[in-house]
Amino acid sequence: IVLARNSILWRQAAMPVVIMRAALASIASSFFAWHVLGSTHFEYKFGTCDGIVSGSNLPQVHDGVSPLNEPCHSGRHCDGSRWCCVTVGTCVPMEGESGVFVGTMKKDYYEGGCNPNSLNSSHEEYDPDCTQIGECHAGCMYADKGAVSVAGIMTAIPETTLDRLMAGSNWRSASQSCQNTACSPPPDFSSCTGVQSGLNLAKIHDGVAPLNQPCHSRRHCDGSIWCCATIGTCVTVGESRACVGSNKAYYEGGCSPHSLNSSHEDYDPDCAQVGECHHPFILETRGGFSRPGVMTPTPSTILDRLMAGSNWNPAAQSRGTESGTGESEVSYSSPHRAALGFMSLMVIFWN
């Protein structure tokens, strides 16, 4: 049977192919740390951003990595303005085209203010602190000019680089977007996303002993049999059994007591001390939280470390008083766990 190309039957037959291609394209796009989909995507990324600083106000980078993009003045490459970021080497005019050139003098559009002229010792913009050209600051361009790159013009920026460019703003690394409402302060962590395992947190070498330890106990915990308890209190009383946990994911830096024992299989020579009990991670993964009075309040500085990599905003913490130190006191009430799942679904469907 031969179907006419413009017939209704032909179009209906082609639809599954179109749908499949669209699905494959969507799946492929999710593998990029950051992909440019034109104006809509830029609005999603930067539309709610506050406090974006210019490239000149960002630290210079000295990692020897060349920039992926460069500022370009072009009506063909850019939308919303004639300034945008494009893949390095592609900001060139077509035959007979004018007004297309790399913005070598726009220091604010380069990370660290390090434009090509900054590396030229004979140029008036020479900066001896610049050892390499900075990445194109797409966020600054959007905030300054409402400028976006036409789809496919700009190379995907790694998340770590984008985090650097957005330093000082309300950018959240976990969601790779700006959020005006940050993760809820304690005791309610229900809106927190991207909470990391203790194994993914930095190891601490300050010589300060942990305040709490993971505890397996129905007497100490609610919501789960796992929670954090003050050091030395996770003990069996009568028939109520309790034991200290050895799961490295529940310790800051993955440093459990076994990590310090050179004869144990969990020994880690990079661990100099036992890590603080990671109560937000236990809450997220096990739904467990400490009963009132079981856990020693966690100072805000330690909580900030435990929440690294999430959408936690240190400035949003509720500041109580702990022995006059001004540190926040953290205890638990039953969290709204459904919010975590809903947030994850929103991210999945948005992408």
Side-chain angles (χ1 to χ4, degrees):
I1 299 175
V2 179
L3 300 178
R5 184 172 181 82
N6 293 324
S7 70
I8 293 177
L9 288 176
W10 187 91
R11 288 197 296 270
Q12 289 178 338
M15 279 305 294
V17 176
V18 173
I19 293 172
M20 180 59 73
R21 287 176 178 172
L24 290 174
S26 176
I27 293 170
S29 67
S30 67
F31 286 94
F32 286 98
W34 187 58
H35 50 278
V36 179
L37 300 178
S39 301
T40 302
H41 190 69
F42 271 79
E43 183 177 354
Y44 161 59
K45 282 289 179 184
F46 305 122
T48 59
C49 293
D50 295 318
I52 297 177
V53 301
S54 71
S56 299
N57 292 321
L58 293 175
Q60 282 107 0
V61 178
H62 306 283
D63 60 5
V65 178
S66 300
L68 300 172
N69 303 280
E70 59 190 358
C72 180
H73 181 277
S74 169
R76 175 167 52 88
H77 297 77
C78 311
D79 193 9
S81 167
R82 284 187 172 268
W83 283 106
C84 67
C85 295
V86 305
T87 299
V88 169
T90 64
C91 184
V92 293
M94 299 177 68
E95 186 176 355
E97 185 180 22
S98 60
V100 178
F101 55 87
V102 177
T104 55
M105 299 182 67
K106 294 281 187 178
K107 294 174 73 76
D108 285 347
Y109 294 164
Y110 289 87
E111 183 179 10
C114 295
N115 62 359
N117 295 333
S118 302
L119 277 64
N120 184 349
S121 59
S122 62
H123 198 279
E124 61 181 355
E125 292 186 345
Y126 173 65
D127 185 343
D129 292 329
C130 290
T131 58
Q132 63 191 63
I133 297 174
E135 181 59 53
C136 186
H137 196 345
C140 178
M141 286 190 177
Y142 186 85
D144 183 37
K145 300 285 188 181
V148 302
S149 306
V150 174
I153 291 295
M154 182 178 172
T155 297
I157 299 178
E159 292 182 3
T160 51
T161 303
L162 197 52
D163 290 346
R164 293 198 316 252
L165 293 173
M166 300 302 288
S169 73
N170 60 334
W171 180 259
R172 297 290 171 260
S173 177
S175 63
Q176 286 293 289
S177 64
C178 288
Q179 295 175 231
N180 290 324
T181 302
C183 174
S184 296
D188 181 12
F189 291 92
S190 62
S191 63
C192 295
T193 59
V195 178
Q196 301 294 305
S197 158
L199 291 163
N200 294 329
L201 297 177
K203 293 172 172 59
I204 305 302
H205 304 278
D206 60 6
V208 178
L211 299 171
N212 302 281
Q213 59 193 172
C215 183
H216 183 274
S217 167
R218 296 190 185 280
R219 179 167 54 88
H220 295 76
C221 311
D222 200 356
S224 166
I225 204 166
W226 284 105
C227 67
C228 292
T230 298
I231 291 286
T233 65
C234 184
V235 294
T236 297
V237 175
E239 294 182 357
S240 179
R241 301 187 63 80
C243 64
V244 177
S246 60
N247 190 335
K248 300 176 72 169
Y250 296 164
Y251 289 87
E252 182 179 12
C255 294
S256 68
H258 293 322
S259 302
L260 277 62
N261 183 350
S262 60
S263 62
H264 197 278
E265 61 181 357
D266 284 343
Y267 174 64
D268 186 341
D270 293 329
C271 289
Q273 62 192 64
V274 176
E276 182 59 51
C277 185
H278 195 349
H279 45 88
F281 184 73
I282 294 176
L283 174 63
E284 179 168 342
T285 58
R286 300 300 295 266
F289 52 96
S290 309
R291 294 182 185 274
V294 166
M295 177 181 164
T296 298
T298 307
S300 59
T301 51
I302 295 178
L303 189 56
D304 291 346
R305 296 197 314 245
L306 294 175
M307 298 300 286
S310 74
N311 61 333
W312 178 256
N313 183 359
Q317 289 194 63
S318 58
R319 299 285 175 175
T321 301
E322 182 183 350
S323 304
T325 62
E327 301 288 4
S328 63
E329 295 186 8
V330 181
S331 59
Y332 285 113
S333 59
S334 182
H336 306 291
R337 297 291 299 167
L340 287 170
F342 179 73
M343 288 293 290
S344 298
L345 284 174
M346 287 295 290
V347 172
I348 291 169
F349 282 115
W350 190 269
N351 286 335

